[in-house]
Amino acid sequence: MAAMDDALHHQRCAHHELATALRDQAGRPGCRGAARAVALADHRSESVGESLSRVLLVQAGLGPDELQHEFPHSNGVDRVDFWWECGVVGEFDGQLKYRAQAMPGMSPDEVLWAEKQREDRLRRRGLVVVRWTWDELLHQPEVVVARIREALATARAAPRPS
């Protein structure tokens, strides 16, 4: 699915082309799994980690309401990886975004500070922010699922700011 997400994200193909290619292979081994992947494939996924996270979340019955949801603020927009309308934000944290080459002109310290400020803005909106890493995704997926379940329960029980 990560390969499909990447192809869609970089406009190497359209979703209907994936579905057509799958129909052309009907009955071959792996078609059922491929059909599930095509159904979940989404151009908004921006990394392998986000794609694998989405598979985990959907399998756990915790599929997000939206990918790459945007929250405008006075100086721009804060975009989040995963959004649940009850007020939960999910963020897959790969190390690449904290490296200087990921944000030209910014040191890793500046990138980290900007990310902290972004999360603070999200929390001031009354949102619950949940983060997870590659290590957790690959080696402790049950921890990621438990963290999301807890955040969703907390958000659903809390009064929503107007």
Side-chain angles (χ1 to χ4, degrees):
M1 188 173 96
M4 290 182 201
D5 283 353
D6 185 70
L8 293 170
H9 182 76
H10 290 99
Q11 300 179 341
R12 293 186 187 106
C13 68
H15 201 275
H16 73 274
E17 292 172 310
L18 293 174
T20 298
L22 180 62
R23 275 194 304 275
D24 291 346
Q25 300 301 313
R28 291 183 176 244
C31 278
R32 284 190 195 146
R36 287 190 299 272
V38 168
L40 285 176
D42 195 307
H43 72 280
R44 296 170 296 178
S45 188
E46 295 181 339
S47 72
V48 172
E50 288 180 24
S51 296
L52 295 180
S53 294
R54 197 168 75 254
V55 170
L56 173 67
L57 296 169
V58 168
Q59 287 176 340
L62 303 172
D65 293 316
E66 190 175 342
L67 304 180
Q68 308 307 328
H69 186 75
E70 294 184 342
F71 295 93
H73 58 87
S74 60
N75 295 321
V77 173
D78 292 324
R79 192 174 72 225
V80 300
D81 297 338
F82 303 97
W83 165 243
W84 289 265
E85 291 179 2
C86 63
V88 175
V89 165
E91 289 286 303
F92 169 75
D93 273 337
Q95 290 184 350
L96 181 61
K97 73 174 159 186
Y98 298 106
R99 294 190 180 137
Q101 66 267 30
M103 298 293 286
M106 292 177 75
S107 71
D109 288 346
E110 291 169 322
V111 172
L112 184 61
W113 182 250
E115 182 64 17
K116 184 207 176 303
Q117 291 176 313
R118 182 180 84 93
E119 185 167 327
D120 287 348
R121 280 190 301 272
L122 294 169
R123 289 185 190 279
R124 281 193 301 273
R125 289 177 177 262
L127 304 176
V128 179
V129 179
V130 181
R131 294 180 170 277
W132 59 93
T133 64
W134 267 116
D135 186 60
E136 292 168 320
L137 180 62
L138 297 178
H139 304 294
Q140 298 178 306
E142 69 283 355
V143 170
V144 175
V145 168
R147 205 177 292 152
I148 297 286
R149 281 192 203 287
E150 180 181 352
L152 290 169
T154 298
R156 288 178 179 136
R160 291 295 305 217
S162 53

